[in-house]
Amino acid sequence: MIKLLSKYLPEKSVPLVQDIIEKYPAQFKIVKNRKTKHGDFKKTKDHRLIITINNNLNKYQFLLTLIHEIAHLVTYREFGRVKPHGTEWKQNFQHLMLPFLNPDIFPSKLLPFLANYLKNPKASTGSDVNLTYALKQFDEKSGKSFIFELEHGSLFLYNNQTYQKGNKRRTRFECTQIATKKIYLFNQNAEVNLLK
């Protein structure tokens, strides 16, 4: 199993990941990019435990997502059904991630963002703007921009529709779809194509 995963992981993380997956076996699948999630954990009707991870993540995002999903597996094995991102999961995730918070595995400039996120991890790393932005610096260049980087009033393309960036609500931006004049809320980390 580690052979499948190792090409997606930071090299120095592989032995630690191997120890974890030997202790908590599951079926691992690398899948095509899903827009709504980086990974997931599920128990099938025939009692198989399956973790899927998107194939387009950079190695640091992949490792973080993998440990996030393994924390769901560990929590399920220890407690059965509990809140998906409740106290039990948070503690398991923090415990599992701790050995990886190391400059041999994650670049030093990522470590403060990871440490801050792990104080109270959320369901999605995307909810932490600073961590998401820091992780994106290691992606292949896509030519896209984050919504939060755009000027107020900028026009951008998202899912083949043109929008105009509007005001910020607490954590999201109101953006008007040009064709329908409907207002949609965009996560500030949404990646879009700026129109010139």
Side-chain angles (χ1 to χ4, degrees), residues 49-65:
L49 304 174
I50 301 174
I51 290 175
T52 63
I53 312 279
N54 291 4
N55 67 359
N56 67 326
L57 305 176
N58 71 51
K59 58 188 173 182
Y60 307 114
Q61 181 73 62
F62 189 94
L63 175 58
L64 186 60
T65 302

Side-chain angles (χ1 to χ4, degrees), residues 122-155:
K122 303 284 188 268
S124 166
T125 53
S127 62
D128 184 321
V129 177
N130 297 320
L131 176 59
T132 299
Y133 189 69
L135 285 165
K136 286 287 182 187
Q137 303 312 302
F138 298 93
D139 285 354
E140 290 181 24
K141 299 301 177 209
S142 68
K144 293 186 176 183
S145 303
F146 290 112
I147 291 262
F148 76 84
E149 296 175 313
L150 305 182
E151 297 284 330
H152 186 275
S154 296
L155 293 175

Side-chain angles (χ1 to χ4, degrees), residues 18-85:
Q18 184 168 359
D19 289 346
I20 292 171
I21 63 175
E22 285 174 3
K23 187 173 181 180
Y24 302 104
Q27 183 178 352
F28 293 87
K29 292 183 178 180
I30 310 301
V31 299
K32 290 182 181 175
N33 179 32
R34 296 166 289 189
K35 289 187 179 183
T36 57
K37 58 185 170 184
H38 295 311
D40 72 4
F41 162 75
K42 66 182 173 188
K43 178 185 171 211
T44 64
K45 290 179 182 176
D46 61 349
H47 305 289
R48 289 181 300 137
L49 304 174
I50 301 174
I51 290 175
T52 63
I53 312 279
N54 291 4
N55 67 359
N56 67 326
L57 305 176
N58 71 51
K59 58 188 173 182
Y60 307 114
Q61 181 73 62
F62 189 94
L63 175 58
L64 186 60
T65 302
L66 176 64
I67 301 305
H68 174 121
E69 301 307 337
I70 291 173
H72 284 299
L73 165 66
V74 172
T75 303
Y76 173 76
R77 292 178 90 199
E78 289 179 354
F79 301 101
R81 291 198 175 273
V82 293
K83 287 177 77 174
H85 296 97

Side-chain angles (χ1 to χ4, degrees), residues 13-14 29 39 45 65 69 90 93 98 107-108 111 121 133 155 158 161 165 178 183 185-186 192 194:
S13 72
V14 173
K29 292 183 178 180
K45 290 179 182 176
T65 302
E69 301 307 337
K90 287 182 185 198
F93 185 39
L98 202 55
S108 295
L111 290 173
Y133 189 69
L155 293 175
Y158 182 80
Q161 297 291 321
K165 180 181 173 184
I178 299 302
I183 294 177
L185 294 178
F186 278 76
V192 300
L194 178 63

